[in-house]
Amino acid sequence: NNHSVIPVVIFQPTISLGTLGNVSHGKTTFIYSVTGIRTNKFKNELLQNITVKLGYCDCFILKRHGNFLSSYITTNKSLNVTKYYLFTNRISFIDCPGHDLLLSTMLGGISVANGVLFFIDSSSYFQKKQTFEHIKALVLSPIKKVVIIQTKIDLADTNKIMYQYIQLKNFFYSLKGFRFQFFPFSFLLPLHLSPILKKICKLFNNSMERRYKEFDTVIIRSFNINKPGRNTRDILGGVIGVCIISGNISINKNIEIRPGIVNYEKLTYKPIITKFSNISDMVYKYNSVIPGGLLSLKTNISYQYSKGDLLVGNTMGCIGNLPHVYGYLKIKYKILQKLYYSENRHIIHHSNELTVTKNEILLIHYNSTSANCLVIKKSKSAILLKLYTPLCCNMNKKIAISKLINNKWNLLGWAVTNSGITLEQE
Protein backbone atom coordinates (compact mmCIF):
# COMPACT_ATOMS: atom_id res chain seq x y z
CA ASN A 1 0.00 0.00 0.00
CA ASN A 2 0.98 3.68 -0.15
CA HIS A 3 2.11 3.71 3.48
CA SER A 4 4.65 0.90 3.17
CA VAL A 5 8.33 1.60 3.67
CA ILE A 6 10.14 2.22 0.39
CA PRO A 7 13.27 0.10 -0.24
CA VAL A 8 16.50 1.82 0.79
CA VAL A 9 18.04 1.34 -2.66
CA ILE A 10 16.01 4.22 -4.14
CA PHE A 11 16.80 6.58 -1.27
CA GLN A 12 19.98 7.72 -3.03
CA PRO A 13 19.94 11.49 -3.68
CA THR A 14 19.16 11.98 -7.36
CA ILE A 15 19.12 15.78 -7.66
CA SER A 16 21.82 18.33 -6.83
CA LEU A 17 20.87 21.97 -6.22
CA GLY A 18 23.45 24.74 -6.08
CA THR A 19 23.01 28.05 -4.25
CA LEU A 20 23.91 31.41 -5.80
CA GLY A 21 23.70 34.95 -4.50
CA ASN A 22 25.71 37.67 -2.82
CA VAL A 23 27.54 37.04 0.43
CA SER A 24 25.30 37.13 3.57
CA HIS A 25 22.08 36.85 1.54
CA GLY A 26 20.97 33.75 3.41
CA LYS A 27 22.21 30.77 1.36
CA THR A 28 23.72 28.82 4.26
CA THR A 29 20.87 29.79 6.61
CA PHE A 30 18.29 28.50 4.15
CA ILE A 31 20.07 25.15 3.83
CA TYR A 32 20.21 24.90 7.63
CA SER A 33 16.48 25.60 7.91
CA VAL A 34 15.75 22.87 5.33
CA THR A 35 18.19 20.16 6.43
CA GLY A 36 19.15 21.06 10.00
CA ILE A 37 22.84 20.76 9.01
CA ARG A 38 25.46 23.50 9.18
CA THR A 39 27.56 23.43 6.00
CA ASN A 40 30.20 25.71 7.59
CA LYS A 41 32.56 23.11 9.03
CA PHE A 42 35.98 24.76 8.90
CA LYS A 43 37.40 26.97 11.61
CA ASN A 44 37.88 30.05 9.44
CA GLU A 45 34.31 29.69 8.13
CA LEU A 46 32.90 29.61 11.65
CA LEU A 47 34.99 32.60 12.77
CA GLN A 48 34.11 34.78 9.76
CA ASN A 49 30.59 33.35 9.34
CA ILE A 50 31.05 32.93 5.58
CA THR A 51 31.32 29.96 3.22
CA VAL A 52 34.87 29.40 1.94
CA LYS A 53 34.84 25.82 0.64
CA LEU A 54 31.92 24.06 -1.01
CA GLY A 55 29.39 22.99 1.59
CA TYR A 56 27.34 19.86 1.08
CA CYS A 57 24.42 18.07 2.71
CA ASP A 58 21.23 16.31 1.70
CA CYS A 59 17.73 15.71 2.99
CA PHE A 60 14.59 13.67 2.42
CA ILE A 61 11.49 15.53 1.26
CA LEU A 62 8.23 14.05 2.55
CA LYS A 63 4.66 14.90 1.67
CA ARG A 64 1.90 14.70 4.28
CA HIS A 65 -1.22 12.76 3.31
CA GLY A 66 -4.28 14.98 3.06
CA ASN A 67 -4.75 18.71 2.55
CA PHE A 68 -2.57 20.67 4.98
CA LEU A 69 -1.18 24.16 4.78
CA SER A 70 2.33 22.85 5.49
CA SER A 71 2.19 19.60 3.52
CA TYR A 72 5.89 19.24 2.65
CA ILE A 73 8.54 18.63 5.31
CA THR A 74 12.18 17.51 5.34
CA THR A 75 14.36 15.23 7.43
CA ASN A 76 18.02 14.28 7.24
CA LYS A 77 17.68 10.99 9.14
CA SER A 78 17.15 7.45 7.94
CA LEU A 79 13.53 6.68 7.03
CA ASN A 80 11.94 3.85 8.99
CA VAL A 81 8.21 4.62 9.06
CA THR A 82 6.16 6.61 6.54
CA LYS A 83 2.72 6.13 8.05
CA TYR A 84 1.66 9.76 7.73
CA TYR A 85 4.17 10.97 5.16
CA LEU A 86 4.95 9.80 1.64
CA PHE A 87 8.55 9.84 0.45
CA THR A 88 8.82 12.34 -2.44
CA ASN A 89 12.48 12.91 -3.20
CA ARG A 90 15.97 13.15 -1.78
CA ILE A 91 18.02 16.19 -2.73
CA SER A 92 21.67 17.18 -2.28
CA PHE A 93 22.48 20.84 -1.63
CA ILE A 94 25.75 22.43 -2.76
CA ASP A 95 26.45 25.55 -0.71
CA CYS A 96 28.52 27.82 -2.99
CA PRO A 97 30.42 30.78 -1.51
CA GLY A 98 29.12 34.25 -2.30
CA HIS A 99 32.35 36.20 -1.77
CA ASP A 100 33.86 37.74 -4.89
CA LEU A 101 37.30 36.25 -4.14
CA LEU A 102 35.89 32.70 -4.33
CA LEU A 103 34.62 32.79 -7.90
CA SER A 104 36.37 29.56 -8.93
CA THR A 105 34.87 27.64 -6.01
CA MET A 106 31.39 28.84 -6.92
CA LEU A 107 31.78 27.82 -10.58
CA GLY A 108 33.00 24.39 -9.52
CA GLY A 109 29.89 23.97 -7.39
CA ILE A 110 27.27 24.79 -10.02
CA SER A 111 29.10 22.70 -12.65
CA VAL A 112 27.58 19.56 -11.07
CA ALA A 113 24.18 21.02 -10.14
CA ASN A 114 20.90 20.08 -11.82
CA GLY A 115 19.26 23.34 -10.73
CA VAL A 116 19.96 26.58 -8.89
CA LEU A 117 18.45 28.38 -5.91
CA PHE A 118 19.23 32.10 -6.31
CA PHE A 119 19.03 34.20 -3.13
CA ILE A 120 18.29 37.93 -2.97
CA ASP A 121 18.20 39.91 0.28
CA SER A 122 14.85 41.75 0.51
CA SER A 123 16.28 44.36 2.86
CA SER A 124 18.78 45.69 0.27
CA TYR A 125 18.95 46.45 -3.43
CA PHE A 126 19.70 43.44 -5.60
CA GLN A 127 21.99 45.30 -8.06
CA LYS A 128 25.27 44.39 -6.38
CA LYS A 129 28.51 43.48 -8.10
CA GLN A 130 28.74 39.90 -6.85
CA THR A 131 25.08 39.30 -7.66
CA PHE A 132 25.82 40.15 -11.28
CA GLU A 133 28.87 37.87 -11.25
CA HIS A 134 26.63 35.00 -10.15
CA ILE A 135 24.07 35.92 -12.81
CA LYS A 136 26.82 35.73 -15.43
CA ALA A 137 27.84 32.33 -14.05
CA LEU A 138 24.22 31.22 -14.37
CA VAL A 139 24.06 32.38 -17.99
CA LEU A 140 27.26 30.46 -18.80
CA SER A 141 26.02 27.24 -17.19
CA PRO A 142 23.69 24.73 -18.90
CA ILE A 143 21.17 25.14 -16.05
CA LYS A 144 17.84 26.60 -17.21
CA LYS A 145 15.59 26.02 -14.16
CA VAL A 146 16.03 28.52 -11.32
CA VAL A 147 14.15 29.19 -8.09
CA ILE A 148 14.67 32.78 -6.90
CA ILE A 149 14.17 33.26 -3.16
CA GLN A 150 13.72 36.67 -1.53
CA THR A 151 15.19 36.24 1.93
CA LYS A 152 14.93 38.27 5.15
CA ILE A 153 11.40 39.45 4.39
CA ASP A 154 10.93 40.12 8.11
CA LEU A 155 13.48 42.97 7.83
CA ALA A 156 11.71 44.89 5.05
CA ASP A 157 8.27 46.41 4.66
CA THR A 158 5.73 45.11 2.15
CA ASN A 159 6.16 47.96 -0.34
CA LYS A 160 9.92 47.46 -0.55
CA ILE A 161 9.52 43.70 -1.01
CA MET A 162 6.99 44.18 -3.81
CA TYR A 163 9.14 46.83 -5.50
CA GLN A 164 12.13 44.49 -5.43
CA TYR A 165 9.98 41.62 -6.72
CA ILE A 166 8.94 43.71 -9.74
CA GLN A 167 12.58 44.64 -10.37
CA LEU A 168 13.68 41.01 -10.15
CA LYS A 169 10.87 39.82 -12.39
CA ASN A 170 11.62 42.39 -15.11
CA PHE A 171 15.35 41.69 -15.01
CA PHE A 172 15.35 37.90 -14.89
CA TYR A 173 12.61 37.50 -17.47
CA SER A 174 14.81 39.48 -19.88
CA LEU A 175 17.24 36.52 -19.82
CA LYS A 176 16.03 34.20 -22.57
CA GLY A 177 15.78 30.44 -22.27
CA PHE A 178 15.30 30.28 -18.48
CA ARG A 179 12.42 29.12 -16.32
CA PHE A 180 12.13 31.16 -13.11
CA GLN A 181 10.01 30.80 -9.97
CA PHE A 182 9.90 33.44 -7.20
CA PHE A 183 9.32 32.81 -3.47
CA PRO A 184 9.61 34.86 -0.27
CA PHE A 185 11.37 33.32 2.72
CA SER A 186 12.22 34.14 6.32
CA PHE A 187 14.10 31.96 8.77
CA LEU A 188 11.70 33.10 11.49
CA LEU A 189 8.64 32.02 9.45
CA PRO A 190 9.19 28.36 8.47
CA LEU A 191 5.66 28.22 7.03
CA HIS A 192 7.08 29.63 3.79
CA LEU A 193 9.23 26.51 3.38
CA SER A 194 6.49 24.11 2.26
CA PRO A 195 5.61 25.82 -1.09
CA ILE A 196 9.33 26.10 -1.91
CA LEU A 197 9.84 22.38 -1.32
CA LYS A 198 6.76 21.59 -3.40
CA LYS A 199 8.07 23.61 -6.33
CA ILE A 200 11.54 22.05 -6.01
CA CYS A 201 10.02 18.56 -6.28
CA LYS A 202 7.98 19.50 -9.37
CA LEU A 203 10.54 21.68 -11.16
CA PHE A 204 13.69 19.57 -10.81
CA ASN A 205 13.82 15.94 -11.86
CA ASN A 206 16.49 13.40 -12.72
CA SER A 207 16.65 12.23 -16.33
CA MET A 208 16.46 8.44 -16.60
CA GLU A 209 18.39 8.53 -19.89
CA ARG A 210 21.61 9.49 -18.10
CA ARG A 211 21.79 6.07 -16.45
CA TYR A 212 22.45 4.32 -19.76
CA LYS A 213 25.20 6.65 -21.02
CA GLU A 214 28.95 6.22 -20.58
CA PHE A 215 30.19 6.66 -17.03
CA ASP A 216 31.20 10.27 -16.34
CA THR A 217 31.70 11.99 -13.02
CA VAL A 218 33.15 15.19 -11.57
CA ILE A 219 35.41 15.29 -8.52
CA ILE A 220 34.45 18.26 -6.34
CA ARG A 221 36.22 17.36 -3.06
CA SER A 222 38.93 14.97 -1.83
CA PHE A 223 39.94 14.18 1.75
CA ASN A 224 42.32 12.39 4.06
CA ILE A 225 40.21 10.80 6.81
CA ASN A 226 43.16 9.41 8.81
CA LYS A 227 43.58 11.15 12.15
CA PRO A 228 47.07 11.98 13.51
CA GLY A 229 48.65 9.12 15.46
CA ARG A 230 46.84 6.36 13.56
CA ASN A 231 48.63 3.00 13.34
CA THR A 232 50.30 2.57 9.95
CA ARG A 233 48.62 -0.80 9.47
CA ASP A 234 45.22 0.84 9.91
CA ILE A 235 45.73 3.75 7.50
CA LEU A 236 42.84 4.15 5.07
CA GLY A 237 42.90 5.29 1.46
CA GLY A 238 41.76 8.66 0.20
CA VAL A 239 38.10 9.66 0.02
CA ILE A 240 36.63 11.43 -3.00
CA GLY A 241 33.47 13.54 -3.07
CA VAL A 242 31.82 13.26 -6.47
CA CYS A 243 28.65 13.88 -8.41
CA ILE A 244 27.88 11.28 -11.08
CA ILE A 245 26.86 12.99 -14.32
CA SER A 246 25.99 9.88 -16.33
CA GLY A 247 26.33 6.11 -16.21
CA ASN A 248 26.56 4.09 -13.02
CA ILE A 249 29.28 2.75 -10.76
CA SER A 250 29.59 -0.15 -8.35
CA ILE A 251 31.96 -1.35 -5.65
CA ASN A 252 35.26 -2.97 -6.73
CA LYS A 253 35.04 -1.57 -10.26
CA ASN A 254 38.35 -0.29 -11.64
CA ILE A 255 38.37 3.37 -12.65
CA GLU A 256 40.93 5.86 -13.93
CA ILE A 257 41.69 9.40 -12.73
CA ARG A 258 43.35 11.85 -15.14
CA PRO A 259 45.72 13.63 -15.28
CA GLY A 260 46.63 12.15 -11.87
CA ILE A 261 50.35 12.66 -11.15
CA VAL A 262 51.89 15.37 -13.37
CA ASN A 263 55.62 15.75 -14.05
CA TYR A 264 56.03 19.43 -14.93
CA GLU A 265 59.71 19.07 -15.89
CA LYS A 266 59.14 16.34 -18.48
CA LEU A 267 55.61 17.53 -19.30
CA THR A 268 54.16 14.07 -18.77
CA TYR A 269 51.38 12.64 -16.64
CA LYS A 270 50.63 9.33 -14.95
CA PRO A 271 46.94 8.49 -14.44
CA ILE A 272 45.81 6.93 -11.18
CA ILE A 273 44.10 3.52 -11.36
CA THR A 274 41.97 2.61 -8.36
CA LYS A 275 38.78 0.90 -7.25
CA PHE A 276 36.09 1.78 -4.70
CA SER A 277 35.86 -0.09 -1.43
CA ASN A 278 32.85 1.86 -0.21
CA ILE A 279 30.14 4.09 -1.74
CA SER A 280 28.02 6.11 0.68
CA ASP A 281 26.25 9.36 1.40
CA MET A 282 25.42 10.97 4.74
CA VAL A 283 22.99 8.18 5.72
CA TYR A 284 23.26 5.02 3.59
CA LYS A 285 25.88 2.80 1.97
CA TYR A 286 25.41 1.40 -1.54
CA ASN A 287 26.70 -1.43 -3.70
CA SER A 288 25.96 0.53 -6.89
CA VAL A 289 24.68 4.03 -7.62
CA ILE A 290 23.03 5.96 -10.44
CA PRO A 291 23.51 9.59 -11.60
CA GLY A 292 22.29 12.26 -9.22
CA GLY A 293 23.33 13.74 -5.91
CA LEU A 294 26.57 13.98 -3.98
CA LEU A 295 28.35 10.78 -2.95
CA SER A 296 31.43 9.78 -1.00
CA LEU A 297 33.78 7.17 -2.51
CA LYS A 298 36.44 5.40 -0.46
CA THR A 299 39.41 4.35 -2.61
CA ASN A 300 42.77 2.64 -2.19
CA ILE A 301 44.61 5.78 -3.31
CA SER A 302 47.30 7.02 -0.95
CA TYR A 303 45.96 9.79 1.25
CA GLN A 304 48.93 11.92 0.14
CA TYR A 305 47.23 12.38 -3.22
CA SER A 306 43.73 13.08 -1.88
CA LYS A 307 44.35 15.34 1.12
CA GLY A 308 43.34 18.99 0.96
CA ASP A 309 41.28 18.71 -2.25
CA LEU A 310 44.37 17.78 -4.30
CA LEU A 311 42.28 15.63 -6.64
CA VAL A 312 39.76 18.37 -7.39
CA GLY A 313 39.89 19.18 -11.08
CA ASN A 314 40.80 15.64 -12.16
CA THR A 315 38.47 13.71 -14.44
CA MET A 316 37.32 10.23 -13.43
CA GLY A 317 35.89 7.51 -15.64
CA CYS A 318 36.32 4.02 -17.05
CA ILE A 319 39.87 2.95 -17.93
CA GLY A 320 40.82 4.01 -21.45
CA ASN A 321 37.64 6.03 -22.09
CA LEU A 322 38.80 9.39 -20.74
CA PRO A 323 39.75 12.34 -23.00
CA HIS A 324 43.31 13.49 -23.60
CA VAL A 325 45.29 15.71 -21.24
CA TYR A 326 46.21 19.07 -22.77
CA GLY A 327 49.08 21.45 -22.07
CA TYR A 328 48.05 23.93 -24.77
CA LEU A 329 44.45 24.66 -25.70
CA LYS A 330 42.88 26.54 -28.59
CA ILE A 331 39.45 27.97 -27.87
CA LYS A 332 36.83 30.05 -29.66
CA TYR A 333 35.56 32.69 -27.26
CA LYS A 334 32.75 35.20 -26.90
CA ILE A 335 32.62 38.07 -24.42
CA LEU A 336 29.51 38.72 -22.31
CA GLN A 337 29.47 42.50 -22.64
CA LYS A 338 25.75 42.86 -21.94
CA LEU A 339 26.11 41.52 -18.41
CA TYR A 340 29.07 43.61 -17.27
CA TYR A 341 28.41 45.44 -14.02
CA SER A 342 29.17 49.06 -13.28
CA GLU A 343 29.16 50.52 -9.79
CA ASN A 344 27.91 53.75 -11.36
CA ARG A 345 24.16 53.81 -10.68
CA HIS A 346 24.11 50.01 -10.76
CA ILE A 347 23.80 49.78 -14.53
CA ILE A 348 25.10 47.36 -17.14
CA HIS A 349 27.39 48.80 -19.79
CA HIS A 350 30.14 48.06 -22.27
CA SER A 351 33.74 48.43 -21.15
CA ASN A 352 37.12 48.64 -22.84
CA GLU A 353 38.44 46.25 -20.18
CA LEU A 354 36.38 43.43 -21.69
CA THR A 355 39.00 42.41 -24.22
CA VAL A 356 41.64 39.70 -24.47
CA THR A 357 45.21 40.72 -25.24
CA LYS A 358 48.33 38.73 -25.98
CA ASN A 359 50.60 37.69 -23.07
CA GLU A 360 47.97 38.28 -20.39
CA ILE A 361 46.89 35.77 -17.76
CA LEU A 362 43.38 34.32 -17.89
CA LEU A 363 41.53 31.81 -15.73
CA ILE A 364 39.47 29.11 -17.45
CA HIS A 365 36.81 26.99 -15.72
CA TYR A 366 35.93 23.47 -16.90
CA ASN A 367 33.65 21.40 -14.66
CA SER A 368 35.20 21.75 -11.19
CA THR A 369 38.60 22.72 -12.64
CA SER A 370 40.07 26.21 -12.67
CA ALA A 371 43.37 26.62 -14.53
CA ASN A 372 45.58 29.65 -14.99
CA CYS A 373 46.77 30.12 -18.55
CA LEU A 374 48.78 32.48 -20.72
CA VAL A 375 47.49 33.90 -24.02
CA ILE A 376 50.05 32.87 -26.68
CA LYS A 377 48.20 33.83 -29.87
CA LYS A 378 45.04 35.78 -30.49
CA SER A 379 42.75 36.26 -33.45
CA LYS A 380 39.34 37.88 -33.76
CA SER A 381 37.40 34.96 -32.29
CA ALA A 382 40.01 32.41 -31.15
CA ILE A 383 42.97 32.32 -28.79
CA LEU A 384 45.75 29.81 -28.06
CA LEU A 385 46.40 29.26 -24.36
CA LYS A 386 49.37 27.80 -22.51
CA LEU A 387 47.94 25.98 -19.47
CA TYR A 388 49.92 26.20 -16.24
CA THR A 389 47.82 23.28 -14.95
CA PRO A 390 47.26 20.41 -17.45
CA LEU A 391 43.60 19.88 -18.24
CA CYS A 392 41.76 16.66 -19.11
CA CYS A 393 38.80 17.77 -21.21
CA ASN A 394 36.70 16.95 -24.25
CA MET A 395 36.66 19.01 -27.40
CA ASN A 396 33.65 21.12 -28.40
CA LYS A 397 32.82 21.69 -24.73
CA LYS A 398 31.71 24.99 -23.23
CA ILE A 399 34.03 26.60 -20.67
CA ALA A 400 34.00 29.89 -18.76
CA ILE A 401 36.74 32.54 -18.90
CA SER A 402 37.71 34.99 -16.15
CA LYS A 403 39.96 38.02 -16.30
CA LEU A 404 41.76 39.89 -13.55
CA ILE A 405 40.17 43.35 -13.26
CA ASN A 406 41.06 45.62 -10.33
CA ASN A 407 42.89 42.72 -8.63
CA LYS A 408 39.76 40.53 -8.71
CA TRP A 409 38.74 37.75 -11.04
CA ASN A 410 35.68 38.73 -13.07
CA LEU A 411 33.79 36.51 -15.49
CA LEU A 412 34.67 37.63 -18.99
CA GLY A 413 32.67 35.30 -21.18
CA TRP A 414 32.48 31.78 -22.50
CA ALA A 415 34.40 29.70 -25.00
CA VAL A 416 34.31 26.36 -26.81
CA THR A 417 37.34 24.06 -26.82
CA ASN A 418 38.55 23.56 -30.39
CA SER A 419 41.92 21.78 -30.41
CA GLY A 420 45.10 21.50 -28.38
CA ILE A 421 48.53 19.98 -27.80
CA THR A 422 48.45 16.91 -25.57
CA LEU A 423 50.88 15.72 -22.91
CA GLU A 424 52.54 12.33 -23.10
CA GLN A 425 51.45 9.59 -20.73
CA GLU A 426 54.11 7.79 -18.71
Side-chain angles (χ1 to χ4, degrees), residues 158-373:
T158 306
N159 293 332
K160 188 173 184 179
I161 295 173
M162 290 303 299
Y163 177 72
Q164 187 193 66
Y165 167 72
I166 295 172
Q167 279 188 313
L168 292 172
K169 191 174 180 180
N170 292 336
F171 177 80
F172 280 102
Y173 280 167
S174 66
L175 304 177
K176 298 181 180 179
F178 287 90
R179 184 178 175 184
F180 296 103
Q181 295 289 335
F182 296 85
F183 290 96
F185 176 75
S186 172
F187 181 73
L188 300 177
L189 301 171
L191 192 65
H192 293 126
L193 197 58
S194 181
I196 298 177
L197 295 175
K198 181 179 179 181
K199 180 55 66 174
I200 286 176
C201 292
K202 291 185 177 181
L203 188 63
F204 305 107
N205 49 34
N206 188 12
S207 176
M208 300 291 289
E209 298 177 356
R210 296 192 299 165
R211 302 184 186 186
Y212 308 106
K213 295 182 179 179
E214 186 177 343
F215 176 67
D216 182 25
T217 186
V218 176
I219 301 176
I220 59 174
R221 298 294 301 272
S222 65
F223 311 92
N224 168 28
I225 60 174
N226 297 290
K227 295 183 179 179
R230 193 184 187 99
N231 193 312
T232 55
R233 285 179 286 184
D234 299 329
I235 288 186
L236 302 173
V239 175
I240 303 174
V242 303
C243 179
I244 299 178
I245 305 300
S246 61
N248 55 74
I249 191 67
S250 58
I251 291 178
N252 296 325
K253 182 177 181 180
N254 291 324
I255 57 99
E256 179 181 357
I257 299 176
R258 287 190 184 182
I261 305 170
V262 179
N263 189 328
Y264 290 94
E265 294 181 357
K266 298 181 180 180
L267 294 179
T268 59
Y269 72 95
K270 183 179 180 181
I272 299 174
I273 308 297
T274 184
K275 62 174 59 176
F276 306 130
S277 60
N278 181 282
I279 303 176
S280 62
D281 53 33
M282 301 184 72
V283 179
Y284 298 118
K285 295 181 180 180
Y286 307 95
N287 291 326
S288 62
V289 288
I290 59 176
L294 306 179
L295 296 168
S296 170
L297 310 178
K298 285 186 180 180
T299 69
N300 56 12
I301 302 172
S302 171
Y303 67 89
Q304 295 289 346
Y305 296 124
S306 64
K307 65 179 181 180
D309 291 334
L310 290 179
L311 288 178
V312 173
N314 284 259
T315 303
M316 184 169 65
C318 296
I319 298 177
N321 291 338
L322 292 176
H324 296 291
V325 177
Y326 295 92
Y328 290 82
L329 204 60
K330 183 180 180 182
I331 59 175
K332 295 182 179 180
Y333 71 97
K334 186 175 182 180
I335 295 175
L336 289 176
Q337 291 186 344
K338 292 183 179 180
L339 286 176
Y340 186 70
Y341 170 82
S342 169
E343 295 188 4
N344 260 353
R345 300 180 183 177
H346 304 288
I347 60 174
I348 302 171
H349 77 306
H350 299 268
S351 171
N352 294 330
E353 292 181 332
L354 296 182
T355 57
V356 177
T357 58
K358 188 178 178 181
N359 295 327
E360 78 169 333
I361 302 295
L362 297 178
L363 188 66
I364 62 173
H365 311 274
Y366 175 78
N367 287 339
S368 61
T369 311
S370 294
N372 287 305
C373 52

Side-chain angles (χ1 to χ4, degrees), residues 18 147 240 424:
V147 173
I240 303 174
E424 293 185 2

Side-chain angles (χ1 to χ4, degrees), residues 24-190:
S24 74
H25 275 204
K27 300 183 293 296
T28 304
T29 303
F30 175 83
I31 293 178
Y32 174 71
S33 65
V34 173
T35 65
I37 299 174
R38 293 283 186 185
T39 56
N40 294 340
K41 302 183 187 223
F42 294 89
K43 184 178 180 180
N44 57 342
E45 292 180 325
L46 296 173
L47 290 176
Q48 302 177 37
N49 196 27
I50 62 172
T51 301
V52 177
K53 292 182 177 289
L54 287 179
Y56 52 91
C57 63
D58 52 59
C59 69
F60 301 91
I61 299 182
L62 309 177
K63 181 181 179 181
R64 183 184 298 184
H65 295 289
N67 296 322
F68 295 91
L69 185 60
S70 181
S71 58
Y72 284 80
I73 66 167
T74 61
T75 178
N76 57 14
K77 299 179 180 180
S78 175
L79 293 182
N80 294 320
V81 180
T82 56
K83 182 177 180 181
Y84 301 105
Y85 291 93
L86 179 66
F87 172 77
T88 304
N89 211 328
R90 191 176 180 198
I91 292 178
S92 293
F93 290 97
I94 306 171
D95 189 12
C96 301
H99 201 279
D100 54 356
L101 298 178
L102 302 170
L103 176 66
S104 300
T105 307
M106 178 269 295
L107 290 172
I110 66 170
S111 67
V112 298
N114 304 114
V116 162
L117 306 179
F118 206 106
F119 293 83
I120 305 290
D121 186 355
S122 297
S123 61
S124 62
Y125 293 103
F126 87 94
Q127 302 99 324
K128 292 189 175 183
K129 181 179 184 300
Q130 196 55 27
T131 302
F132 276 95
E133 287 296 314
H134 285 217
I135 292 173
K136 287 194 285 185
L138 183 62
V139 171
L140 294 174
S141 72
I143 299 171
K144 299 303 177 185
K145 297 178 181 180
V146 184
V147 173
I148 300 173
I149 302 175
Q150 290 181 266
T151 60
K152 305 180 184 180
I153 59 173
D154 52 310
L155 301 179
D157 57 43
T158 306
N159 293 332
K160 188 173 184 179
I161 295 173
M162 290 303 299
Y163 177 72
Q164 187 193 66
Y165 167 72
I166 295 172
Q167 279 188 313
L168 292 172
K169 191 174 180 180
N170 292 336
F171 177 80
F172 280 102
Y173 280 167
S174 66
L175 304 177
K176 298 181 180 179
F178 287 90
R179 184 178 175 184
F180 296 103
Q181 295 289 335
F182 296 85
F183 290 96
F185 176 75
S186 172
F187 181 73
L188 300 177
L189 301 171

